[in-house]
Amino acid sequence: MTADVLSDVLSAVRLTGSVFFDITAAAPWVAEAPPSAQIAGAVLPGAQHAIEYHVLTRGSCWISIVDGAPFEPVQLQEGDIAIIPHGEPHAVSSAPGMRAKPDLDVHRRPYEVGGLPIRLRAGTGGAGDAHVICGFFSCDVRPFNPLLEALPRFVRVGRGASPATDGLLNQFVLLLSHETRHRRPGAQSVLNRLSELMLIEAVRTYMDRLDPGRTGWLSGLRDPLVGRALALLHAEPARAWTLEDLAAACGASRSALAGRFTQLTGHPPIQYLTRWRMQLAARRLSEGGAKVVAVAQEVGYDSEAAFSRAFKKFSGRSPSEWRSG
């Protein structure tokens, strides 16, 4: 028995997408996004974390992270998708180096049904020479989100992707552009689902293009040995796995598996399993209804007390505190 690990993680961290802005821009123009932590609750009520993305459907523009470590502006071309996984403040503009004061009010989610995406015009020129669709993905980041941990500050896909993925990404961009233009009944739901599919394909494209010597959870998924171990752990997270059992199931020695797994994912195999169990438990507790003892058993703990100690260690809160929000 094996699992589709990426799908398992996307489900457990409750990834959801939302198309928020439909921007037509005429040079010179600039829009600056604040840290997503400042606006996550407004754009995606109840979200632990917000990932921002931009899809350029026409023209070109520049994007730059404007806080923290130095970041060289990146030019986006038509069809490119830019993702800011960790919610850092950034500027999108017609030329590199432009700045603006972030507008927090514009990020307030409309009350009316069908109010998204919000149509905006940027710049003082005439006819728009760029069209950008912007939105957010909400996800849980606590207690454990291995995908978010593995992603860099900035991901750009589109031009330069492999021929196999170029077609898929291009179709998502075309469909997003079509739905924002025509706003047929159900458009908002279609746009949200399209954005989620687009992110999955963007992550797969990014993973396929990782250098062979790169470490991280996504590199682990690609590695034959570590990928096999991850699939087994995700398929049966409640099983009383030992390093010996896992190594035998993978056809490797304990030392080879432990060394390779830790090198790529940053966690020894059994520690990774514990963290993953805590994420599964956090999702179940957030859904409400299930008793703590039942959740403990679902993720492989015979003792409610042992589970509660482990959960508090990794999340900073007891299971009952987590469930009450």
Side-chain angles (χ1 to χ4, degrees), residues 11-33:
S11 174
V13 302
R14 301 189 296 181
L15 180 87
T16 57
S18 177
V19 176
F20 212 83
F21 298 118
D22 177 11
I23 303 174
T24 301
W29 64 274
V30 58
E32 188 160 323

Side-chain angles (χ1 to χ4, degrees), residues 12 14 48 140 142-144 275-288 295 299 307 311 315 319 322-323:
R14 301 189 296 181
Q48 279 190 18
D140 292 346
R142 302 182 306 274
F144 184 48
R275 289 175 177 271
W276 182 240
R277 285 172 168 175
M278 297 305 104
Q279 179 59 40
L280 293 176
R283 183 186 64 180
R284 286 285 287 118
L285 291 167
S286 297
E287 293 169 351
V295 174
V299 297
F307 165 69
F311 190 86
S315 73
W322 188 277
R323 184 169 54 187

